[in-house]
Amino acid sequence: MAYTPLRINTVKPNRELTFDLFIFFKEQYIIYANKGGEIEQEKFSKLKKQKIAKFYIDEEDEMNYQQFLDALLMETMNSETATTEEKVNLVEGACGTAVERMQTDPGSETSYKMTENAAKSLRQCILQNPDALKEIFGKEVQEGDHIIKHSLNVSALATKLADKMGQKEEQLDQMAIAGLLHDIGVMQMDEQVRELFKKDKKDLTPENRLAYGAHVKDCISVLNDKPYVDKATMDLITNHEEVKSGQGPNKKTKLSESECILSLVNIYDKMCITTDLTPKEVIKEILIEELGNFELDLLNKFKVVLKEEGLLDI
Ligand SMILES: [Fe+2]
Ligand SMILES: [Fe+2]
């Protein structure tokens, strides 16, 4: 039997399961709950306390799981009684599961569709719930989850900024997808190059920059010929490291508004991760260092969004 991982946050307790659920324990897959059954709240809380973050399903149950998750997302995002925390947990689980699967198999259409659905829910969640962004950014990163957490942060914040800039729903969805997938190329690189993700960009040698910059190309080669990936989303992913001065890996100097948004938010979150600076210090430095790389209006609106969303006090 082949097993596929899914985040525990995408399964709700006290809800009928449409698939068999496994956990990986002591080097083996053990059945945890059966199709048709439910997980009790108490058992579920215990798993989370034990820091078990993943369940597994038999590959043959994939479609059943997708339908289960789509229904749960729809219901929770539109619910008037679900708290922001519940909404964020679910959407984080859905995005994390989708990105993790795309990292392992970037050519999988099912995983791409899953990313699209997760991105839509993320857009809805952050635009409709005032505290959602703060909740997302305030979450602790689990070991080995740095790129996934970064992808979720960038996706959520870039979508919010795009909304502030007056972009349409279709553009917001493209932004949310691109944000989730922009760095999947990093996982395709050698371990040595992958480690550069955690380094402050100021500490990178020219060779480091060149090697790391290749992660935008690796991703393109896998997604480029896929008919289900639209061009606007593809362009965003390809150009997410570009800046107006032409110092990005593709040396582009003419960027669309959406490309500038994604690139700016990527720089911001990357600096928060790789330096000891507080968010307030990061935005201060960006307003000085990146002045020639982005329009002043965009930089100012970005600062306003960070303030309004409470992200500077985390
Ligand atoms: Fe990147
Ligand atoms: Fe990134």
Side-chain angles (χ1 to χ4, degrees):
M1 215 152 47
Y3 298 91
T4 327
L6 54 95
R7 305 243 155 177
I8 210 161
N9 278 345
T10 63
V11 179
K12 205 180 169 194
N14 304 330
R15 187 181 176 98
E16 189 186 333
L17 297 169
T18 52
F19 42 86
D20 288 329
L21 211 47
F22 299 82
I23 52 171
F24 190 68
F25 187 67
K26 293 194 174 161
E27 304 301 308
Q28 56 178 329
Y29 295 96
I30 303 164
I31 184 102
Y32 184 78
N34 289 302
K35 196 180 287 192
E38 293 176 1
I39 310 175
E40 291 156 30
Q41 178 69 53
E42 207 179 315
K43 257 176 116 183
F44 190 79
S45 310
K46 214 168 142 194
L47 277 184
K48 286 186 116 180
K49 237 194 209 142
Q50 292 170 324
K51 298 239 180 248
I52 294 181
K54 275 183 208 166
F55 282 129
Y56 295 84
I57 49 165
D58 177 354
E59 246 176 21
E60 287 184 7
D61 266 334
E62 184 58 35
M63 275 303 135
N64 295 332
Y65 170 62
Q66 293 297 335
Q67 282 166 7
F68 173 92
L69 180 57
D70 287 348
L72 184 58
L73 277 171
M74 182 98 83
E75 205 180 291
T76 310
M77 290 311 131
N78 294 314
S79 159
E80 281 173 15
T81 51
T83 62
T84 302
E85 193 189 346
E86 282 169 342
K87 290 179 183 180
V88 165
N89 280 344
L90 177 61
V91 95
E92 182 202 31
C95 290
T97 305
V99 177
E100 194 172 358
R101 289 172 175 207
M102 285 296 283
Q103 285 177 338
T104 333
D105 184 8
S108 155
E109 186 171 354
T110 319
S111 303
Y112 190 84
K113 296 270 180 240
M114 190 183 184
T115 310
E116 281 183 324
N117 285 337
K120 255 189 208 303
S121 295
L122 179 62
R123 188 248 303 150
Q124 203 182 341
C125 181
I126 53 152
L127 295 188
Q128 292 172 1
N129 302 279
D131 294 329
L133 261 172
K134 198 172 177 185
E135 183 90 31
I136 291 171
F137 272 74
K139 274 192 185 296
E140 250 178 71
V141 194
Q142 306 287 331
E143 193 50 38
D145 252 3
H146 287 88
I147 297 179
I148 290 181
K149 174 74 164 67
H150 166 65
S151 308
L152 182 68
N153 284 359
V154 170
S155 175
L157 186 52
T159 305
K160 186 79 200 184
L161 180 56
D163 180 58
K164 184 90 183 165
M165 297 298 284
Q167 294 203 347
K168 293 196 289 277
E169 195 170 289
E170 190 191 5
Q171 288 173 294
L172 300 183
D173 280 339
Q174 290 159 346
M175 183 69 80
I177 298 167
L180 289 177
L181 297 182
H182 77 281
D183 271 340
I184 59 164
V186 177
M187 292 306 279
Q188 315 297 315
M189 326 235 5
D190 295 344
E191 211 185 315
Q192 250 179 335
V193 183
R194 242 187 285 156
E195 282 303 305
L196 298 175
F197 177 85
K198 294 182 200 148
K199 267 195 159 184
D200 185 348
K201 108 175 153 175
K202 284 184 179 154
D203 297 334
L204 297 181
T205 65
E207 291 77 33
N208 284 164
R209 274 167 195 261
L210 202 66
Y212 186 72
H215 75 276
V216 300
K217 291 209 178 67
D218 283 26
C219 170
I220 302 164
S221 59
V222 187
L223 290 179
N224 221 2
D225 59 345
K226 301 286 185 284
Y228 51 82
V229 181
D230 70 60
K231 190 174 176 306
T233 307
M234 199 63 232
D235 285 346
L236 281 171
I237 297 173
T238 311
N239 296 318
H240 78 263
E241 301 267 354
E242 302 303 306
V243 285
K244 244 175 34 180
S245 60
Q247 287 170 329
N250 303 329
K251 303 197 168 42
K252 245 187 115 172
T253 49
K254 277 214 170 77
L255 301 171
S256 69
E257 182 182 89
S258 298
E259 286 170 339
C260 291
I261 292 172
L262 185 58
S263 175
L264 174 60
V265 174
N266 180 51
I267 290 174
Y268 171 80
D269 194 58
K270 210 63 203 302
M271 271 176 83
C272 291
I273 295 172
T274 59
T275 68
D276 295 330
L277 302 176
T278 63
K280 262 188 197 142
E281 290 163 339
V282 168
I283 187 62
K284 205 172 154 195
E285 190 158 325
I286 285 180
L287 285 167
I288 300 165
E289 304 264 324
E290 304 291 339
L291 207 54
N293 281 333
F294 299 96
E295 300 290 335
L296 192 58
D297 175 54
L298 179 64
L299 288 169
N300 285 335
K301 287 219 172 75
F302 184 42
K303 197 181 167 185
V304 171
V305 167
L306 290 172
K307 216 181 218 168
E308 281 175 353
E309 296 298 315
L311 299 187
L312 296 178
D313 311 314
I314 289 175

